[in-house]
Amino acid sequence: MAIQGTGWKHDLLLALCAMLVVLAINAVSGFPTIADLGADNDSMLRLVEVRDLLAGQSWFDLHQYRMGLAGGFVMHWSRLVDTPIALIILAFQALGTSTAAAERAAQIIWPLSLYGLTIFVILRASRRFAGADVAMPSVVLATAALFFLGIFNPGTLDHHNVQLLLTAASLYLLMEAPFWRPAALLSGLCAGLTLAVGMETALYVATLGACAAVLFILDERERQTARGFGIGFAAMASVVVVATIPPSAWGVAQCDAFSAFQFVIAALSGFGLAAIAGLSGPSTARKRFVWMSALALAVAAVAIVFFPQCLASPYAGMDERVRTYWLNDVVEAQPFLSVAVNQPKLMAARYVTPFIAILLIGLQLRGRRLRREEVLAAASLIVAFVVSLWQVRGSTFSVAFAVLPLSTWIAGIRLQANAAAQSWRVSTRIAAAWLVSLNATWAGVAVAAQSVVQRAPTGINSDADHALTCGKAEDFSDLAAMPATTVLASSNLGSAIVMFTGHRALAGPYHRNVAGNLAMLDAFMGTPDAALAVVQREHVGLVAICRGNSEELSLAVEAPTGLAARLLKRDVPDWLELDSTTANKPVEIYKVR
């Protein structure tokens, strides 16, 4: 049965309706996530990157010149995400709108379009997973789950929403491959594209590729699926390396961005898979296993011999002070135990429904073998859940993938209820299934439990401490009116400074800005004299403080005699002068004498 014959237009309409409902909710409330971007540093810097591209910065030049030490630093993001955002802005400018209005349109249209498409893909995957009509529970659960993830909010220009859409699409298309011939090729293309957008999806892409290979080993009929996926994956990697990397850098390996390393591994594994699957004539499972094992060994050997630096932990070489005072305060990088202790609401919303979904799949193993669609979904869900135990960002994918077994479960209970006599027990069972499948339910349970024990979470990474301030344009209006210079501020303010003003921010929450962040730590945690030395060396003209900012509070606790602690106590050294017009405002500005 081809995809065209399974009601995809109906599903697309359902996804569109869900997207429009969310659009209406945001419009009625005045698009609060655009008015106050809060701690969404990545979305702010993404817009700056798009502005730089539209202002003439080279397609291949990913420098962020207004952050870090003099000369800036090279970002690890992909131009592939900048492009559609820039095109939306250009389209609205061509219609005569102002730049600000065009940017606001892009901040609304781009994430909400991705939201609708992701709901559509999850709905299609749920149908294939269940082998039945699960449209209603799937669209409700997907809409709620993605809404509470927050990565599709208006104003969210970060790349995580793109990655989720492409990864979910690759999973669904691999499910669809036996029923629609082009699906395997498209799945490989999506897998290659999501890897090109960011390395966070490497494990999910590897899982899908491994599933395609294992399914072919076990079943000769999966030959075309493996071949199509391999060709699509390798072909996309080849296109991306030419389209996004200048020829002068083709031989340079970058572990945190698409480069020669990722291209070589993708091309070898993708074309190798396609070549093995393309061998003429039938073959035994043992022979296919030998060929696939040889390919896996070849890929591993190339990675170990030529790119050993990329096999370590992604944060292995990070400066210990940056790790302690920045990375350990990044919410999305926290492990499960830290989230469970400090942020019970987030833990409940991100971990419970995927865990229930894994249990549901496990129960299926008791009565029968899993179908190929169930194997693909289970592998993706389990890998994403394991990743989330290491870093909470993995839950973005596990929460979305959990919709497949959860919606199937609800649909099965409803089907049983329709066949049985109606009773309060049946109604209670259906209601309970709905409640335990919604992330919001578990978040509410966590909040209620916390209020009962009357224990507020402690520490910088706690629910209570993450109401970050200084995310509005008006917070930086005074700073924007001052002559351009270098601003010393906490890394949490770096993206907002370069977005809302014409200044250069010394610090910013990015692992490649090590030198700038260390200079900020030296200044804010050092004595006033030590801070002055940094200020003079880096030609800092202004110092900005955002009272209530969690990073500044943390630095003040760790270094009670440092500059940050003194400024929070209004103990100003004689080489700084408070701009009186900013006193008691969200952002207080000190001029260097």
Side-chain angles (χ1 to χ4, degrees):
M1 180 171 56
I3 187 173
Q4 288 87 345
T6 56
W8 68 270
K9 294 180 180 178
H10 174 262
D11 291 346
L12 187 61
L13 181 61
L14 285 176
L16 177 62
C17 290
M19 183 199 72
L20 291 176
V21 168
V22 174
L23 173 62
I25 293 172
N26 280 277
V28 169
S29 57
F31 294 103
T33 53
I34 294 180
D36 187 355
L37 289 167
D40 194 358
N41 295 291
D42 288 355
S43 293
M44 288 188 271
L45 197 66
R46 174 70 69 183
L47 184 55
V48 173
E49 192 168 279
V50 171
R51 288 174 179 173
D52 293 341
L53 178 64
L54 293 175
Q57 187 166 325
S58 169
W59 169 268
F60 295 114
D61 184 6
L62 293 176
H63 273 83
Q64 184 43 249
Y65 291 101
R66 291 196 298 120
M67 185 176 285
L69 303 186
F73 66 99
V74 180
M75 282 296 293
H76 61 290
W77 292 346
S78 173
R79 286 289 191 203
L80 297 174
V81 181
D82 296 340
T83 305
I85 300 171
L87 290 176
I88 294 173
I89 293 173
L90 288 175
F92 276 86
Q93 287 178 329
L95 296 175
T97 62
S98 65
T99 299
E103 289 181 351
R104 184 177 177 85
Q107 288 177 298
I108 296 171
I109 293 172
W110 178 242
L112 287 179
S113 297
L114 296 174
Y115 184 59
L117 288 173
T118 306
I119 292 174
F120 170 71
V121 168
I122 292 176
L123 179 51
R124 299 301 297 164
S126 297
R127 283 187 185 275
R128 183 57 67 193
F129 177 87
D133 184 6
V134 293
M136 196 270 282
S138 178
V139 74
V140 172
L141 293 182
T143 301
L146 300 183
F147 180 84
F148 286 105
L149 283 176
I151 62 173
F152 295 98
N153 289 337
T156 307
L157 303 181
D158 190 11
H159 55 272
H160 297 310
N161 45 24
V162 180
Q163 290 175 311
L164 178 56
L165 169 60
L166 291 172
T167 305
S170 183
L171 170 61
Y172 160 62
L173 289 165
L174 203 54
M175 289 181 175
E176 195 71 32
F179 310 98
W180 189 43
R181 190 176 182 87
L185 177 66
L186 293 175
S187 176
L189 291 173
C190 288
L193 193 56
T194 192
L195 186 66
V197 169
M199 293 303 103
E200 299 95 332
T201 56
L203 282 176
Y204 312 129
V205 170
T207 300
L208 293 173
C211 285
V214 171
L215 288 173
F216 174 48
I217 291 173
L218 298 176
D219 191 345
E220 171 75 21
R221 292 172 296 179
E222 295 285 343
R223 179 183 297 274
Q224 292 301 322
T225 297
R227 183 171 179 269
F229 182 89
I231 291 175
F233 182 53
M236 179 56 71
S238 303
V239 170
V240 168
V241 76
V242 174
T244 63
I245 303 175
S248 60
W250 283 356
V252 179
Q254 302 286 347
C255 302
D256 59 351
F258 196 87
S259 65
F261 165 55
Q262 291 78 10
F263 167 68
V264 170
I265 298 301
L268 179 59
S269 57
F271 285 133
L273 176 61
I276 294 172
L279 294 174
S280 60
S283 58
T284 63
R286 181 176 181 179
K287 185 176 180 180
R288 294 192 296 271
F289 174 76
V290 171
W291 277 108
M292 289 298 179
S293 298
L295 175 61
L297 289 174
V299 172
V302 169
I304 293 171
V305 173
F306 295 102
F307 309 103
Q309 71 275 21
C310 294
L311 301 180
S313 167
Y315 305 117
M318 179 173 290
D319 184 276
E320 194 58 36
R321 284 194 299 160
V322 175
R323 182 196 303 274
T324 301
Y325 300 116
W326 169 64
L327 183 63
N328 290 346
D329 192 32
V330 176
V331 177
E332 67 178 23
Q334 300 307 304
F336 169 76
L337 289 178
S338 175
V339 175
V341 171
N342 295 314
Q343 301 188 72
K345 178 182 175 182
L346 180 63
M347 183 275 293
R350 294 297 190 102
Y351 290 94
V352 177
T353 54
F355 181 71
I356 294 174
I358 292 173
L359 289 180
L360 290 173
I361 293 178
L363 290 174
Q364 297 294 330
L365 292 173
R366 296 172 58 186
R368 59 174 175 81
R369 291 178 57 186
L370 294 178
R371 295 178 293 112
R372 68 180 301 279
E373 296 85 359
E374 293 171 328
V375 169
L376 289 168
S380 299
L381 173 59
I382 291 171
V383 168
F385 187 76
V386 171
V387 172
S388 73
L389 297 178
W390 173 52
Q391 287 191 339
V392 70
R393 75 175 78 196
S395 63
T396 298
F397 297 85
S398 61
V399 165
F401 297 155
V403 172
L404 277 62
L406 290 173
S407 60
T408 302
W409 178 46
I410 292 174
I413 293 176
R414 292 177 63 206
L415 188 63
Q416 295 171 11
N418 291 336
Q422 290 294 325
S423 68
W424 68 269
R425 287 188 176 88
V426 172
S427 300
T428 302
R429 188 181 176 197
I430 294 175
W434 274 108
L435 285 174
V436 301
S437 299
L438 290 168
N439 302 73
T441 301
W442 297 106
V445 169
V447 172
Q450 185 175 306
S451 64
V452 168
V453 298
Q454 295 182 338
R455 186 186 68 85
T458 59
I460 296 302
N461 269 314
S462 66
D463 292 326
D465 288 320
H466 269 278
L468 294 179
T469 55
C470 306
K472 304 176 184 177
E474 54 265 31
D475 295 340
F476 295 86
S477 57
D478 293 315
L479 186 61
M482 297 178 179
T485 185
T486 300
V487 180
L488 170 62
S490 63
S491 65
N492 275 343
L493 301 187
S495 297
I497 289 172
V498 296
M499 176 179 176
F500 295 124
T501 79
H503 299 292
R504 179 165 68 90
L506 189 61
Y510 303 100
H511 67 273
R512 287 194 176 187
N513 186 31
V514 174
N517 289 335
L518 286 177
M520 180 272 293
L521 291 176
D522 288 339
F524 271 161
M525 300 185 73
T527 64
D529 289 341
L532 178 59
V534 174
V535 165
Q536 292 175 335
R537 185 187 73 215
E538 304 302 335
H539 306 288
V540 172
L542 298 169
V543 178
I545 291 290
C546 174
R547 296 185 179 277
N549 182 288
S550 64
E551 183 178 6
E552 293 170 8
L553 295 174
S554 175
L555 296 179
V557 170
E558 295 294 332
T561 60
L563 178 63
R566 291 188 59 171
L567 291 180
L568 290 176
K569 298 174 184 175
R570 304 190 186 281
D571 181 9
V572 184
D574 57 9
W575 51 270
L576 282 179
E577 177 186 3
L578 173 65
D579 186 310
S580 59
T581 62
T582 67
N584 299 316
K585 288 187 176 181
V587 176
E588 290 186 342
I589 303 168
Y590 297 84
K591 297 179 179 179
V592 178
R593 293 182 187 274

